[in-house]
Amino acid sequence: KMMARISSVLLCFFWATGILAFQNSHRIKRHNVEATSALQSRARESYTSNPPRRDEVRRGSKQTIKPSSIANNGKIKQERTVVIMYHKPPNVITSHSNADAISKTQTEQSRLTVYEDISTMKGFAGDQSIIGKEMLNFETATNIQSKLHAIGRLDAATTGLLLLTNDGNLVHQVTNPNAKQDNKQSKSVQKTYEALIMGHHELPEASTTVSATSETYPLVTLLEKGATLSPKHGGQTKPVDDLTILSHPTASTTLVSITISEGKNRQIRRMFHSIGSGVMKLHRVSVGQLSLAGLSSNSTAELQEGEWRLLSEDEIRIGLGWECRWLDEVSPVFGGRRSRASGKRQPNTRSTKRRRRR
C-alpha cells in the first residue's frame, strides 16, 4: 500500500509540473508575438514620420548615392556617355585594384593604377580656363560620378592609347568583334600597335611561292591564318587585319605595325610568341580612327605620357562609330532601372529570381 501511495503522489507531481511548463511556454510565446507586433508598428510610425535621407539611400546594394548626384526634382542626374583618352605610361596597371602588384619580397609601395593616375588630375590636358584651378577635380571636369571602365586593357609594360568610359555598352561594342550598335554597325573596331619584336623578319614579294612562304617568312602565318594559342588563352585567333614592317633598328630586331580587331588577353605578345619570336616593346597607336592626337594627324597635338583629355561627341561618333547617349536613370528609392521612354520603373529580375529561390 505504501508503494501505491508513493506512485500516486509522483504521478500527480509530474502531471502538475507538465501543466505548469505548458502554460509557461504558451505565455512566453504570446509575449514574443505581442512584442514583435509592437516593434513593427513603432518602426512603421517612425518611417512615416521621419523618412530616410536621400544621401542614405543605396543604389543596388553597395554603392551609396552621393547628394551631389540628386537633381532638384529628386531624381538621379543622368550621365551622358563620356570617353577619356589617356596616354598610358609604362608600369601603370589597368586595374581598379593594385593589391596584386605587391610580391612577397617587395616592401615598396605597389604600382599606380590608371584610375588613380587620372583621378589626381596631374595629367589633365583639357581646358582649365572654364574651371578655377583651385576648384578643379575629377567630377567637375568630367561630370562622371559612376564607375569608369577601360575599353580594352593594356598590360603594365605596354604604353600608348587607352580609352576609358562610363558607358558599359560602348566597352562591349569596341572589345567584342561581333558586337553591333543598334544593328547598324557591323564592322569591328580595329586596334593598331607598333611592336618591336625579336629576330630579323621580312615579308615576301608577290612572286614568292606559297611553299617557301611559311618557312622563310613566319609573319605571313599571322596574315593568312592567324595564331594558334592555347585553349585557356582563347585558342585560334583571326588573321591580322594588317601587318607592315617599319624598320630594323638592329640586325636582330624588327619594328612592325600590326592591326587586329580582336581583344584577347595579351594577344599581340602571344601571337608573335607562337611563330617563334617575342615582343620587346609594345605601343598602341590607335583605336578605330582615334590616335593620341584624336582625329587629327598633327603629331604636335598628341598627348604625352601620363596626359589625358575628354573626347568630344563628334570624335566619339566618327572615331568609334558610337552615338553618345543618356545612360539609364536609376531610381533613388528602389534602385531599379527607369526606362527613359516610359518613365516606369522596370522590375529587378535578378532580385525576383533570388526571392523565388528562397
Side-chain angles (χ1 to χ4, degrees):
K1 293 182 179 179
M2 181 64 68
M3 292 300 296
R5 290 179 182 177
I6 293 174
S7 299
S8 301
V9 171
L10 290 175
L11 181 63
C12 294
F13 173 77
F14 286 123
W15 180 76
T17 303
I19 292 177
L20 291 175
F22 175 77
Q23 292 177 346
N24 190 34
S25 62
H26 182 71
R27 189 181 301 110
I28 293 174
K29 184 177 180 180
R30 185 175 59 184
H31 178 269
N32 290 339
V33 171
E34 293 175 353
T36 302
S37 178
L39 288 175
Q40 290 176 347
S41 300
R42 194 176 305 169
R44 282 194 294 268
E45 293 174 0
S46 176
Y47 183 86
T48 305
S49 60
N50 186 22
R53 299 195 311 271
R54 292 192 182 276
D55 59 346
E56 295 176 347
V57 179
R58 293 182 179 271
R59 179 184 302 167
S61 60
K62 294 182 179 180
Q63 183 180 0
T64 302
I65 298 177
K66 301 177 182 179
S68 59
S69 66
I70 300 176
N72 295 331
N73 59 0
K75 296 181 179 179
I76 302 300
K77 286 183 179 179
Q78 283 185 303
E79 289 184 1
R80 207 161 162 77
T81 300
V82 177
V83 179
I84 293 175
M85 175 185 287
Y86 173 62
H87 189 163
K88 179 188 168 303
N91 297 321
V92 178
I93 58 177
T94 312
S95 173
H96 285 282
S97 172
N98 57 9
D100 59 341
I102 306 177
S103 63
K104 294 181 179 179
T105 59
Q106 184 179 0
T107 57
E108 59 183 9
Q109 190 175 5
S110 59
R111 291 173 293 184
L112 189 69
T113 70
V114 296
Y115 305 100
E116 291 172 342
D117 191 23
I118 289 175
S119 64
T120 61
M121 300 296 294
K122 291 181 180 179
F124 181 56
D127 185 8
Q128 300 185 11
S129 61
I130 58 175
I131 308 174
K133 290 186 177 180
E134 67 281 356
M135 298 294 293
L136 188 63
N137 58 57
F138 183 78
E139 281 193 8
T140 56
T142 63
N143 290 323
I144 297 178
Q145 295 164 351
S146 57
K147 194 173 184 179
L148 273 177
H149 301 279
I151 306 178
R153 298 174 59 180
L154 295 178
D155 59 47
T158 304
T159 62
L161 175 61
L162 179 64
L163 300 178
L164 304 106
T165 183
N166 60 339
D167 192 339
N169 288 351
L170 175 55
V171 177
H172 178 72
Q173 163 69 24
V174 177
T175 57
N176 187 347
N178 299 319
K180 296 181 181 180
Q181 179 184 342
D182 299 331
N183 295 323
K184 297 178 182 179
Q185 175 110 355
S186 58
K187 186 178 180 180
S188 302
V189 178
Q190 296 178 327
K191 281 80 70 176
T192 301
Y193 299 79
E194 287 184 0
L196 180 64
I197 62 176
M198 295 184 289
H200 187 94
H201 295 273
E202 297 285 354
L203 288 175
E205 300 292 337
S207 58
T208 306
T209 60
V210 177
S211 60
T213 298
S214 58
E215 298 178 0
T216 312
Y217 305 100
L219 295 181
V220 176
T221 304
L222 303 181
L223 281 167
E224 294 180 350
K225 302 178 181 178
T228 303
L229 308 181
S230 63
K232 69 176 183 179
H233 295 143
Q236 183 68 34
T237 69
K238 294 181 179 179
V240 300
D241 298 324
D242 184 62
L243 181 60
T244 306
I245 294 178
L246 301 178
S247 65
H248 296 91
T250 65
S252 59
T253 59
T254 305
L255 182 64
V256 300
S257 173
I258 181 171
T259 301
I260 62 174
S261 56
E262 292 180 297
K264 293 180 171 65
N265 184 27
R266 297 176 179 262
Q267 180 172 344
I268 299 292
R269 298 182 184 275
R270 291 189 170 113
M271 288 175 71
F272 284 111
H273 181 75
S274 69
I275 60 171
S277 182
V279 176
M280 303 171 67
K281 290 183 180 179
L282 187 61
H283 178 82
R284 183 189 278 167
V285 176
S286 64
V287 176
Q289 299 183 40
L290 292 172
S291 66
L292 287 169
L295 295 174
S296 172
S297 59
N298 186 5
S299 59
T300 60
E302 289 187 359
L303 295 174
Q304 302 303 310
E305 282 191 356
E307 290 186 341
W308 63 273
R309 70 174 179 87
L310 298 174
L311 294 180
S312 67
E313 294 197 0
D314 287 339
E315 288 178 313
I316 298 172
R317 184 180 67 256
I318 299 173
L320 300 176
W322 184 261
E323 292 291 341
C324 293
R325 63 192 184 102
W326 290 104
L327 305 184
D328 287 343
E329 179 184 347
V330 179
S331 168
V333 176
F334 299 100
R337 179 174 56 84
R338 287 185 182 270
S339 170
R340 288 185 286 108
S342 63
K344 297 180 180 180
R345 185 172 63 87
Q346 305 296 324
N348 191 334
T349 55
R350 182 180 300 178
S351 299
T352 303
K353 292 179 180 178
R354 198 172 293 167
R355 286 195 297 269
R356 286 175 181 173
R357 292 194 195 105
R358 292 175 182 173

